[in-house]
């Protein structure tokens, strides 16, 4: 039976994390930027699960569980902020939301 | 078998992430993120984390992405427009992300032999099931953080209700 090196899982997580960084920087829609944060969180979760498998420790998987909980709370609050932002500014483009700039 | 599974779902995850990056409409990005999350659930299962695979499908693909798609439809978000700010992001963002990727993959590949490899559904320990082990740790040694988490969720619900009110 062919086994997969754990390093491949970690490299896949790195690929997903870097695509998340690129999407975070390039995207101009605030909802899509929020989605790329979720993508980066998922990539980190994959790293945690892979290392939990390497060290045969359950604490890595429990860490992922807590990350999921915090991500759910973060998504609820963040999307509420996006709705409030859209109500006041009538836009989802981050370049037009620069009230704190000057 | 294991390698085929990894390559299949790994490529699916990368394709979904790239589709998120290149699609201009938020609803297409959201649906490709669902693809990424579902294929990551399969990879969690192959790493011996059955509970997390189920939680990934239920919490991420089920709850969080439905919330995202709900907001996209509620705000009637259209295609994003090009602005002058995104040009600088292209110039600085792509090489920066590529540099971080090169650094990470160099470290992982140089430590490759010490990290070992995994078989299909490799368990952490043969004695108890994955769910039993997680729940035992969560309800004995980590009971206080687990209960604090419920307060965090409660505060997040209240915050979301207050923020999304009509008069702000």
């Amino acid at each position: 039976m062919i086994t997969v090196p754990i390093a491949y899982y970690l490299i896949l997580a790195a690929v997903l994390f870097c695509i998340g960084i690129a999407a975070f920087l390039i995207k101009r829609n605030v909802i899509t930027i929020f989605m790329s944060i979720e993508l980066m969180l998922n990539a980190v979760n994959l790293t945690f699960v892979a290392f939990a498998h390497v060290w045969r420790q359950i604490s890595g998987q429990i860490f992922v569980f807590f990350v999921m909980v915090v991500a759910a709370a973060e998504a609820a609050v963040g999307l509420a902020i996006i709705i409030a932002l859209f109500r006041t500014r009538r836009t989802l483009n981050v370049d037009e939301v620069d009230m704190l700039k000057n | 078998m294991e390698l085929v599974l990894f390559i299949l779902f790994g490529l699916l995850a990368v394709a979904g992430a790239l589709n998120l990056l290149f699609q201009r409409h938020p609803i297409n990005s959201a649906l490709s993120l669902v693809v990424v999350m579902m294929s990551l659930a399969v990879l969690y299962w192959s790493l011996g984390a059955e509970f997390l695979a189920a939680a990934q499908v239920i919490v991420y693909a089920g709850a969080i992405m439905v919330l995202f798609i709900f907001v996209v439809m509620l705000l009637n978000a259209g295609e994003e427009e090009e602005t002058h700010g995104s040009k600088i992001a292209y110039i600085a963002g792509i090489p920066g992300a590529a540099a971080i990727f090169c650094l990470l993959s160099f470290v992982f590949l140089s430590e490759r032999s010490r990290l070992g490899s995994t078989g299909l559904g490799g368990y952490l320990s043969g004695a108890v099931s994955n769910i039993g082990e997680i729940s035992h740790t969560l309800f004995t040694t980590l009971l206080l953080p687990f209960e604090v988490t419920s307060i965090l969720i409660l505060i997040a619900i209240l915050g979301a209700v207050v923020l999304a009110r009509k008069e702000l």
Side-chain angles (χ1 to χ4, degrees):
Chain A
M1 192 159 118
I2 313 160
T3 55
V4 184
I6 293 291
Y8 290 0
Y9 282 97
L10 296 173
I11 288 170
L12 174 68
V15 169
L16 292 178
F17 190 82
C18 292
I19 293 172
I21 293 174
F24 181 84
L25 291 171
I26 287 169
K27 289 293 185 178
R28 294 292 105 191
N29 189 314
V30 66
I31 298 175
T32 325
I33 287 175
F34 209 54
M35 275 188 244
S36 52
I37 296 174
E38 296 289 330
L39 179 63
M40 284 192 273
L41 281 173
N42 267 285
V44 172
N45 281 354
L46 181 61
T47 318
F48 269 125
V49 174
F51 275 118
H53 192 271
V54 171
W55 304 114
R56 299 274 187 265
Q57 292 276 318
I58 202 72
S59 36
Q61 299 192 3
I62 288 174
F63 222 115
V64 174
F65 176 75
F66 281 113
V67 169
M68 277 182 186
V69 170
V70 173
E74 174 231 341
V77 175
L79 289 170
I81 291 174
I82 290 174
I83 290 173
L85 182 78
F86 188 77
R87 278 227 182 88
T88 50
R89 305 286 294 199
R90 289 279 140 204
T91 180
L92 286 172
N93 193 334
V94 284
D95 287 328
E96 291 172 33
V97 186
D98 50 3
M99 289 165 275
L100 287 176
K101 204 171 181 180
N102 298 311
Chain B
M1 169 65 188
E2 164 85 339
L3 191 64
V4 171
L5 202 70
F6 172 77
I7 290 172
L8 197 67
F9 285 97
L11 282 181
L12 201 61
V14 173
L18 284 175
N19 200 37
L20 183 148
L21 182 55
F22 292 125
Q23 290 287 342
R24 305 209 64 81
H25 205 283
I27 202 95
N28 296 343
S29 298
L31 291 175
S32 47
L33 193 55
V34 173
V35 173
V36 176
M37 283 161 177
M38 295 301 264
S39 34
L40 279 182
V42 177
L43 294 178
Y44 289 172
W45 171 73
S46 74
L47 282 167
E50 305 95 359
F51 172 70
L52 288 179
Q56 172 90 359
V57 173
I58 295 168
V59 175
Y60 265 121
I64 295 181
M65 289 323 292
V66 167
L67 202 61
F68 267 98
I69 291 172
F70 217 74
V71 170
V72 171
M73 292 195 293
L74 181 71
L75 301 185
N76 199 13
E79 293 198 5
E80 57 180 345
E81 61 258 42
E82 284 275 350
T83 46
H84 58 277
S86 54
K87 290 286 175 291
I88 306 159
Y90 272 106
I91 296 162
I94 302 273
I100 292 171
F101 169 67
C102 290
L103 186 69
L104 284 173
S105 50
F106 171 72
V107 171
F108 293 148
L109 282 177
S110 57
E111 297 290 317
R112 185 183 161 177
S113 56
R114 253 179 287 176
L115 288 168
S117 60
T118 175
L120 187 61
Y123 293 103
L124 291 178
S125 59
V128 276
S129 72
N130 187 263
I131 296 173
E133 213 171 337
I134 285 180
S135 54
H136 185 262
T137 315
L138 211 54
F139 285 101
T140 52
T141 49
L142 292 175
L143 186 61
L144 182 66
F146 182 72
E147 296 297 338
V148 169
T149 301
S150 58
I151 298 171
L152 175 78
I153 295 277
L154 182 68
I155 294 169
I157 294 169
L158 292 177
V161 169
V162 168
L163 280 170
R165 258 185 333 183
K166 260 261 168 359
E167 67 284 351
L168 189 72

